[in-house]
Every structure is written in C-alpha cells, then in structure tokens.
Amino acid sequence: MLTCKVGIALAVLGVAVCGALGPARAFEGSSSKKEQQPSPLQQFQTGARAYMAGDKAGAVNSLLEAAKRGHAVAQWKLGRMYAEGDGVEKDDVKAFDYFSQIANAHADDAPDTMQSRFVANAFVALGNYYLDGISGTPIKADPTRAREMFSYAASYFGDPDAQYNLARIYLDDKNAKDARQAARWLGLAANKGQREAQAVLGHMLFNGIDIPKQSARGLMWLTLANGAAGSGDKWIRDLYAEAMTKASQDEQDKAGEYVSAWNKDRD
C-alpha cells in the first residue's frame, strides 16, 4: 500500500498529490550507479521540498531532472513557475512547452486519478494560451484550438475550470453564441464550486439573460460565488451587490434556503 507522508502532500502544488506520483522503488542494496540514481519521483520530491523551503533555484534543478524523465507533475509545476515568473524569469513559451508535453503524453490518462487534475489543468492552460497567442512567438491566437483544449478537459476530465472557460466561449462567440450550451457547462462547473461559473450563471438566472429567469436560484449562485470571492474578484462582488439591491425579501429568503441546502449536501 502506498503511504502518503505529510511532507510530500506538497502544499506547493495546491493539492495533495501523493496518489498521483506512484510508489517509490524500494532500495535493493545494489551498488550500481544506475540503481543508485534517484527516481523521477524522488527528484520531484526533492524539488518540491526545496520549493517549500524557499530554495526555488534548487527546486528548479531537481524539477528539471524529474521533468526530463517524464514526471508529469514536475512538468506541470515548472509550467506554472514559468507562466507566473515564480522563482524563474517569466517565459510563456517554456510554460507552453511543458503544458504541451503533459497534454501529448497524458491525454488518455484515467480521469479519476490524482494526476489527471494536473493533466486537465495543462489543457486549460494551453486553451488560455491559444485564446490570445503569445506575442512575438510562432504561437498565434487560435480560438478553434482553444475551444478544443477546453472541450477535451471539460468533457473527458470533467474539469470545472475547463467547463467555465468553454461556457465563456459559447457566450462570447458572436458568430456561434449558444447560451443554452453555456448554461449547461456553467451549471456543471458551478456545482463543483467554481466561483466564476457560479457568478456568471447566477447573473444570467437572476436577470433572465438568454435563459429563463429564476431570481432566487440566481441569487443563490451569486451568494455562493461572493462567499468564495478572492481579492481579484471585484466583479463577482459587484454582481452580488447589484442583485441584492434588486431582490425582494422573498427572493432573498428563498435564496438563503437554497444556499443552506446546497451547503448541507456538500457536508
């Protein structure tokens, strides 16, 4: 049985990943250089520990070694670091390359594994790159390719961020707008707690925008989104505040009942 040590749960990744990494090989006592070489998992663990300790240069060195040997989560972490300029110089082309390696090698991974979360996130990252392209590089904006990336991660992996991004495409595409499809994907993402999807779906339902009006249900989603909003989510708080100024007491009371039932179902 694989034992997940707390130190390798790796808050550095944002989620526990022990199940995604596979078991480490037992030490067999051999003195050969080949057998003494750290496994990709061990190299990833070393890099993750260094990152958590603040040694990002050391983290990159170890993560690079693991990534070269095909460790998907190491590739994902390097992709995020280069995309954000986190401990390295920001380089979207390198980030794009790491996410592409993951997508190419792991598209058919079982969707119920821990590692699949990182694979799905790589598809979402690629989709966002394809939406706008990377300036000054051969990677140009390709909305069709972006839709393909989001659609695959949304349908095969059931990724809520991909579902939200796919819904946005259905809403924002002037030539092929499909509010019904958008609402479907928003609903799937919202039920998984994706706050942006909750906010957009709530706004649509509360105001009856492109879909039948359900004020109390819409206010429920806006309330949940507002509760999960972060420092960069002013637009969510604004949508919630706007709805609250318009909602009747009955709508507010009914929305409160919906929120309580939704939270209870998730306990």
Side-chain angles (χ1 to χ4, degrees), residues 39-188:
S39 69
L41 168 60
Q42 291 168 331
Q43 290 170 325
F44 167 75
Q45 291 173 336
T46 299
R49 290 191 187 100
Y51 183 96
M52 293 171 69
D55 179 13
K56 294 186 179 180
V60 169
N61 289 334
S62 295
L63 291 172
L64 281 171
E65 291 302 314
K68 288 176 184 177
R69 299 169 68 188
H71 194 283
V73 186
Q75 292 169 336
W76 176 86
K77 184 58 183 176
L78 285 168
R80 295 308 316 163
M81 291 176 75
Y82 279 111
E84 298 166 7
D86 180 16
V88 294
E89 185 176 352
K90 181 177 171 63
D91 190 326
D92 286 314
V93 173
K94 285 186 177 179
F96 181 91
D97 181 60
Y98 278 117
F99 294 134
S100 294
Q101 290 180 47
I102 297 169
N104 290 335
H106 298 279
D108 295 327
D109 282 8
D112 58 350
T113 64
M114 285 293 294
Q115 181 165 292
S116 69
R117 300 170 67 181
F118 301 98
V119 178
N121 184 267
F123 274 93
V124 173
L126 289 172
N128 282 314
Y129 277 126
Y130 279 121
L131 278 179
D132 300 315
I134 301 176
S135 179
T137 77
I139 303 167
K140 305 303 180 184
D142 187 341
T144 299
R145 190 69 172 144
R147 183 195 293 259
E148 290 173 354
M149 296 292 105
F150 294 141
S151 181
Y152 188 79
S155 56
Y156 181 72
F157 290 109
D159 183 84
D161 291 329
Q163 291 168 342
Y164 168 71
N165 279 282
L166 184 58
R168 290 299 326 194
I169 287 179
Y170 279 117
L171 286 175
D172 299 337
D173 189 336
K174 295 179 180 179
N175 297 319
K177 182 174 180 178
D178 189 334
R180 185 174 181 178
Q181 278 287 355
R184 171 177 173 266
W185 288 112
L186 288 171
L188 290 171

Side-chain angles (χ1 to χ4, degrees), residues 2 25 28 30 44 63 85 126 202 253 256:
L2 174 63
R25 294 183 181 276
E28 297 177 354
S30 171
F44 167 75
L63 291 172
L126 289 172
D253 291 344

